[in-house]
Amino acid sequence: RMILLSDYQPPDWRVEALELRFELDPEDTRVHSRLRVRRRDGSAPGAPLRLHGRDLQRLSIAVNGAEPSPGSCVEDREGLLLSGLPDAAEIAIETRIRPDANTALEGLYVSGGSLCTQCEPEGFRRITYFPDRPDVLTRYRVRLEADAARYPVLLANGNRVDAGSLPEGRHYAVWEDPFPKPSYLFALVAGDLACIADRFTTRSGREVALEIYVEHHNRERCAHALASLQRAMRYDEEAFGREYDLDVYMIVAVDDFNMGAMENKGLNLFNAKYVLASPDTATDDDYVHIESVIAHEYFHNWSGNRVTCRDWFQLSLKEGLTVFRDQEFTTDCTLFGVKRVDDVQRLRAFQFPEDAGPLAHPVRPDRYAEINNFYTMTVYEKGAELIRMLRTLIGRDAFRRGLDRYFQRFDGQAVTTDDFVAVMAEVSGRDLAQFQRWYTQAGTPQVTARTRFDAQAGVLQLDLAQRTPPTPGQHEKDLLQVPIRVALLGRDGRRLSARLGGAPEAAEWVLELTAGEQSFQLRGLREPPAAVSWLRGFSAPVLLEAGQGTDELAHLVANDDDAFARWDAAQTLLRRAVIARVEDAVDPRLEAALTTAMAALLEDSAVEPVLLAALLELPAHRELMESFERADPVAVDQARRAVEHSLFAPLAERLAARAPERARWDDGAFTAEAMGQRRLLNRLLAVRVAAGGEGALEEAARQYHEARSQTLAMGALAAVNDRAEPVRGELLADFERRYRQDPLVLDKWFALEAASQVGDGFARLERLLEHPGFRWSNPNRVRAVLGPFMAQNHRHFHRVDGAGYERIAHYLERLDALNPQTAARLVIPLTRWRRLDEARSARMRASLEQLAGKGLSKDLADVVERGLAS
Ligand code: ARG
Ligand code: ZN
């Protein structure tokens, strides 16, 4: 059954207040719920009240103290439908649930020794009957009761207003959240947890208690999360004018969690992997991710909680905006210029393929069968790109005023992406009607660009064209408003000044492409530009093809002052080299030019280490696959490796010479400088090993054994993971021995073993699934094994006889019985069969069809069906 945006109806009933009492117990939890409801003004007279409910055992229901007649209280697939109600009523319901039988990890479930919840988007209906939709906001008062010895900590949203003991070794706590909220933001936690606490004083003087709850043995690994939270709170005040609004902000780390984390009001639940860190158990990337997820959830307090979504089609209203906000934070506080490179890399490797495949959907979808399957790269990451484009188009000042107005006007409301854009149009005085199409139209636009220089007139003409390919259900595409930031570099590598239209002279311009084909003139040029720097800062999420020659691109690689554009020029050259090899047309001239360019970069001490590391990296396999209508993934992997080898083999000495001093940077310090140096160390090591340089494997082994920071240990393991034994085997076995008891670190071992293409990958996969540290019930473990096997182990996953696909399909069927949401995510690689060579394509499709024939969950069935539809 499809849910359609066009069917949206405002709720007929408001919930004026909600009281919940939980008698907590893993095998038998009783939920007593008391709702005060009132018919909304203007609602259809006599409209029934819908209470959603799923897998609940209803023990009793009373309307204004009396049991409703059977005809006025009907249970159906969605829950309960109450009719014949007076305009205001109090409804009391008692339900029974079994958290320990909940393996889907939605609603109330058990993780480790704790009880915890995940309600977004529709988990609350697995706890009690309620209008479980984001446009029904109410105040919650929650009383938790549990065994005091087993669950000494009892948490819910808001402020704790009462606590005490009860007979029979039980105790209770009462929590009140003063802010009306939708049910998806409800949370509770009961457990035996350590609390790591600190404080934060907001700029208007509110004292906020910050509390991180973890299992006792993890208490030493919370310092980074706590410091990240404090930085994020300060940043949101300074950069966005947003202040915190409760007396306490809590974070709880949970081992079993479907996603990254959840922004429940005042009580964030986190996948433990995004909280726990110490230099010997977490890499720099882990540190950066933790900081960004902590910030992301904190930023949701305004973009999501204070202003929430009217319905789930509007998910990007909160997610796109919050991703944008966390990206800004990481850019300004931690990674600076290279953040954009990291984000674009991810977007191209994951969102572009989504937009070009069978699961493509607009940032604001208009239909869904299962909303859980729309927590996607498109809604999150492309959604963030739309926000960034808005800022580019209306300017930073107007954008900031627009955000202020948005938060002020819609505080306490559930609104739409249209509302957001309307505010931006209002503050800027610009017509954003065409821009709105970015929200409703799926697919990555293709932009082509050509230039012509008139030396006589000193005018550079730029001819642009746009086209968006069809996506499922959207065959005709409209023209978009595309901001394209450009600059020109002269022979000496410096930017040239010119005039665009009637504007004053400048050295960088934003071309607003709105037509199918459009020309722009840059006037007043005294010399011919040596290179055009296109799409600076990745100003729009498009595929831009400018037909630039090797010399022009090499000039950009050597000189561009925009980190993204510089990196992108190198990526274009590298991509061309790989494509040529895939097509059996090795381009020696191009590869030689690349070697020369790389040699120059290695010599250039002005290139920051972190940027150099990015410049030395080839486009990801996933991204390269997108360059072809159909391709043999094993051949693409081999071509990629061949280019890497041929490019860097002649540079072995320079690569070794450029390596930063290892002992000096091996300290796990969370500074941009230290992390940049370690990134470069690891990148150089990987390239040296790939180039087959003498002593490179030995150097990797040395780096592994001597490493104090996990960043350098993991860098060494990653460098050798696809190399012949014995070095690989020895190092990985050592790592497993060291971290056997540490699930989050062991996940990295699982991931490396699953990804390795050497030896018998199938036998290894079986062994991983039998490993004592593996559990099918834990999403992190399952993702660590199956994810890298599909994404990186091309030789085995893509075995021509289809054995890899069959095996994965079989595992997913098994996983689906436990955890549909995680199964529905992991199946996505099997939907890409159209892009494979014919033999593999048929086999992958067959595996997907076989899976479709099984009794699948709604989650998994939805992805499988869309993956098969033509
Ligand atoms: N709102 C959360 C976040 O982005 C994600 C929760 C998604 N949960 C889910 N079950 N789909 O931070
Ligand atoms: Zn989010």
Side-chain angles (χ1 to χ4, degrees):
R1 232 185 84 252
M2 276 290 165
I3 314 287
L4 303 180
L5 171 60
S6 55
D7 286 345
Y8 174 81
Q9 293 289 340
D12 291 314
W13 292 83
R14 291 192 292 121
V15 179
E16 295 186 315
L18 174 63
E19 272 182 44
L20 295 169
R21 182 164 73 90
F22 288 83
E23 297 177 81
L24 292 165
D25 183 287
E27 285 113 55
D28 180 347
T29 286
R30 301 296 166 98
V31 187
H32 307 262
S33 159
R34 198 174 280 279
L35 304 81
R36 243 182 32 232
V37 298
R38 182 178 294 276
R39 201 179 289 280
R40 195 178 51 83
D41 291 343
S43 72
L49 169 62
R50 157 63 73 197
L51 301 177
H52 299 101
R54 192 170 166 188
D55 298 337
L56 301 173
Q57 188 184 343
R58 192 170 86 234
L59 301 176
S60 69
I61 178 162
V63 176
N64 291 332
E67 193 179 331
S69 69
S72 65
C73 173
V74 177
E75 178 106 42
D76 59 15
R77 289 173 55 247
E78 292 274 299
L80 283 178
L81 206 54
L82 299 181
S83 43
L85 295 176
D87 286 350
E90 187 174 283
I91 301 168
I93 311 175
E94 187 188 353
T95 50
R96 175 173 179 257
I97 48 179
R98 278 205 65 155
D100 68 344
N102 179 353
T103 59
L105 314 185
E106 297 172 324
L108 180 64
Y109 64 94
V110 177
S111 177
S114 304
L115 289 162
C116 63
T117 54
Q118 169 58 36
C119 290
E120 184 182 2
E122 296 179 338
F124 194 71
R125 62 188 63 185
R126 294 168 177 260
I127 295 175
T128 185
Y129 292 97
F130 193 78
D132 190 13
R133 43 187 287 172
D135 56 356
V136 174
L137 285 76
T138 192
R139 283 200 181 83
Y140 285 62
R141 182 184 167 90
V142 178
R143 178 182 163 104
L144 306 175
E145 303 173 8
D147 185 87
R150 204 163 161 196
Y151 304 108
V153 173
L154 299 176
L155 310 175
N157 316 86
N159 303 311
R160 198 176 69 170
V161 295
D162 191 13
S165 49
L166 294 168
E168 291 171 46
R170 292 175 73 80
H171 70 152
Y172 73 94
V174 180
W175 291 80
E176 253 177 25
D177 183 354
F179 293 93
K181 66 168 171 290
S183 50
Y184 82 88
L185 290 174
F186 167 79
L188 77 78
V189 172
D192 182 2
L193 301 168
C195 174
I196 289 77
D198 204 343
R199 312 202 58 78
F200 181 84
T201 309
T202 69
R203 66 173 173 183
S204 66
R206 178 192 288 274
E207 281 290 321
V208 184
L210 310 180
E211 301 178 348
I212 300 189
Y213 292 88
V214 296
E215 288 183 14
H216 291 278
H217 64 270
N218 284 326
R219 62 175 316 138
E220 306 305 321
R221 293 191 190 174
C222 299
H224 175 63
L226 199 49
S228 297
L229 176 59
Q230 288 163 328
R231 278 194 296 276
M233 293 177 85
R234 191 59 73 207
Y235 182 84
D236 214 17
E237 292 181 346
E238 284 167 2
F240 293 101
R242 299 294 111 205
E243 215 178 298
Y244 191 59
D245 52 15
L246 287 169
D247 300 331
V248 58
Y249 188 86
M250 298 172 281
I251 288 175
V252 181
V254 175
D255 286 338
D256 306 273
F257 205 77
N258 279 337
M259 310 279 285
M262 181 62 212
E263 69 265 21
N264 319 297
K265 184 77 188 188
L267 176 58
N268 289 219
L269 264 75
F270 271 64
N271 187 327
K273 131 187 205 169
Y274 293 116
V275 176
L276 304 176
S278 58
D280 59 323
T281 62
T283 62
D284 292 342
D285 287 347
D286 295 330
Y287 270 72
V288 171
H289 288 143
I290 288 169
E291 188 195 49
S292 102
V293 178
I294 296 258
H296 179 96
E297 305 311 329
Y298 174 71
F299 296 161
H300 267 316
N301 189 56
W302 274 96
S303 48
N305 301 2
R306 292 288 290 257
V307 180
T308 194
C309 302
R310 188 191 73 172
D311 53 69
W312 292 120
F313 299 103
Q314 318 298 329
L315 183 57
S316 196
L317 175 79
K318 73 177 178 81
E319 295 305 345
L321 179 54
T322 305
V323 170
F324 170 80
R325 279 151 52 65
D326 82 53
Q327 289 175 344
E328 286 291 292
F329 168 66
T330 304
T331 303
D332 291 343
C333 299
T334 306
L335 291 183
F336 310 100
V338 79
K339 170 66 172 162
R340 196 68 188 130
V341 171
D342 286 1
D343 286 343
V344 175
Q345 222 167 14
R346 244 163 63 78
L347 195 79
R348 284 181 176 159
F350 296 93
Q351 197 277 327
F352 280 20
E354 181 169 273
D355 236 352
L359 306 180
H361 55 275
V363 169
R364 191 201 67 193
D366 52 18
R367 56 184 56 229
Y368 61 77
E370 170 52 63
I371 186 57
N372 267 312
N373 292 332
F374 284 78
Y375 286 74
T376 59
M377 290 295 290
T378 298
V379 167
Y380 276 64
E381 263 65 19
K382 187 176 179 181
E385 294 302 325
L386 305 200
I387 305 284
R388 187 171 287 101
M389 278 194 287
L390 271 173
R391 183 178 66 179
T392 303
L393 287 168
I394 71 176
R396 284 179 181 255
D397 289 349
F399 179 76
R400 179 56 212 281
R401 276 184 283 118
L403 277 182
D404 287 347
R405 196 176 291 187
Y406 166 76
F407 287 125
Q408 202 205 342
R409 180 173 301 168
F410 298 116
D411 191 6
Q413 298 183 42
V415 302
T416 64
T417 57
D418 287 347
D419 292 325
F420 182 86
V421 179
V423 172
M424 292 298 166
E426 193 182 291
V427 288
S428 64
R430 291 208 49 175
D431 179 355
L432 296 173
Q434 188 183 15
F435 183 82
Q436 292 269 31
R437 293 178 186 161
W438 277 104
Y439 281 93
T440 55
Q441 186 162 291
T444 305
Q446 298 171 353
V447 174
T448 49
R450 293 293 181 270
T451 54
R452 253 180 309 152
F453 185 62
D454 180 341
Q456 212 92 61
V459 173
L460 183 74
Q461 170 148 332
L462 306 101
D463 299 319
L464 295 172
Q466 63 165 307
R467 172 184 172 269
T468 304
T471 54
Q474 276 187 347
H475 302 290
E476 303 298 327
K477 298 288 182 180
D478 289 324
L479 297 171
L480 296 168
Q481 182 178 19
V482 189
I484 297 180
R485 197 183 288 280
V486 292
L488 307 176
L489 301 194
R491 255 293 119 234
D492 62 358
R494 291 232 273 273
R495 277 201 253 159
L496 303 179
S497 295
R499 279 177 284 106
L500 174 66
E505 203 169 59
E508 187 181 73
W509 309 270
V510 176
L511 311 177
E512 286 188 23
L513 173 62
T514 53
E517 292 180 14
Q518 203 170 333
S519 298
F520 300 84
Q521 273 100 26
L522 291 172
R523 301 175 185 283
L525 284 160
R526 281 172 286 273
E527 60 172 297
V532 183
S533 172
W534 288 106
L535 206 65
R536 291 162 71 83
F538 198 63
S539 59
V542 300
L543 278 159
L544 187 133
E545 188 275 308
Q548 290 169 296
T550 303
D551 293 343
E552 185 177 351
L553 289 165
H555 194 63
L556 293 166
V557 173
N559 299 298
D560 204 327
D561 60 352
D562 181 90
F564 163 77
R566 185 176 195 179
W567 167 80
D568 199 33
Q571 292 286 294
T572 302
L573 289 170
L574 291 162
R575 197 178 302 116
R576 281 184 196 164
V578 178
I579 294 173
R581 287 219 178 217
V582 172
E583 288 166 350
D584 268 331
V586 189
D587 186 340
R589 223 192 62 95
L590 172 60
E591 291 188 9
L594 266 164
T595 298
T596 309
M598 295 293 171
L601 288 172
L602 287 165
E603 302 283 290
D604 184 349
S605 57
V607 186
E608 269 187 88
V610 69
L611 180 60
L612 179 57
L615 288 164
L616 295 175
E617 192 166 347
L618 271 71
H621 182 269
R622 289 182 58 96
E623 192 199 312
L624 290 165
M625 286 294 290
E626 292 300 300
S627 312
F628 306 91
E629 261 318 301
R630 278 169 179 272
D632 166 351
V634 177
V636 170
D637 181 46
Q638 281 163 354
R640 183 177 182 278
R641 284 163 198 280
V643 169
E644 199 170 36
H645 185 277
S646 111
L647 222 63
F648 292 114
L651 300 178
E653 271 158 44
R654 277 182 230 239
L655 290 165
R658 184 67 181 79
E661 196 188 328
R662 183 144 51 72
R664 167 148 182 236
W665 300 106
D666 189 11
D667 58 0
F670 187 64
T671 64
E673 187 189 21
M675 291 195 292
Q677 299 283 5
R678 288 191 290 268
R679 255 203 214 191
L680 181 57
L681 265 162
N682 282 341
R683 188 75 230 133
L684 289 169
L685 181 66
V687 170
R688 286 172 63 195
V689 172
E694 206 171 324
L697 275 176
E698 291 73 13
E699 171 60 18
R702 254 197 315 279
Q703 176 168 321
Y704 172 79
H705 286 297
E706 290 168 12
R708 283 174 288 132
S709 68
Q710 184 161 84
T711 303
L712 293 189
M714 282 302 297
L717 294 180
V720 302
N721 198 36
D722 265 336
R723 299 292 135 185
E725 307 292 4
V727 175
R728 187 199 96 85
E730 285 163 14
L731 300 189
L732 272 110
D734 180 78
F735 192 78
E736 191 270 349
R737 269 194 304 279
R738 265 164 54 184
Y739 294 108
R740 213 173 267 174
Q741 308 302 338
D742 205 326
L744 288 178
V745 188
L746 194 64
D747 279 347
K748 293 170 188 166
W749 175 79
F750 278 126
L752 286 163
E753 289 286 4
S756 178
Q757 307 197 60
V758 300
D760 183 346
F762 288 105
R764 201 163 43 233
L765 186 60
E766 293 288 319
R767 280 205 304 281
L768 296 178
L769 299 174
E770 307 276 296
H771 189 281
F774 183 83
R775 274 197 294 131
W776 281 102
S777 59
N778 179 279
N780 288 357
R781 290 313 85 73
V782 176
R783 280 191 288 255
V785 174
L786 301 188
F789 181 79
M790 293 189 274
Q792 296 167 49
N793 201 337
H794 316 295
R795 191 163 84 79
H796 294 96
F797 177 55
H798 292 293
R799 208 168 84 175
V800 196
D801 65 1
Y805 311 143
E806 274 168 36
R807 208 170 281 222
I808 289 292
H810 164 77
Y811 294 143
L812 291 180
E813 188 191 341
R814 172 170 181 180
L815 176 64
D816 190 41
L818 286 174
N819 188 329
Q821 218 188 102
T822 299
R825 245 159 216 264
L826 282 169
V827 80
I828 292 172
L830 285 182
T831 66
R832 304 210 197 287
W833 52 272
R834 285 177 190 77
R835 308 298 294 274
L836 303 179
D837 57 277
E838 300 208 3
R840 289 186 175 84
S841 182
R843 298 233 139 84
M844 184 181 271
R845 194 193 153 116
S847 295
L848 204 57
E849 270 166 354
Q850 236 176 30
L851 199 52
K854 311 282 165 87
L856 302 181
S857 69
K858 184 163 134 212
D859 301 62
L860 184 54
D862 169 42
V863 180
V864 168
E865 279 161 27
R866 281 188 285 147
L868 285 169
S870 34

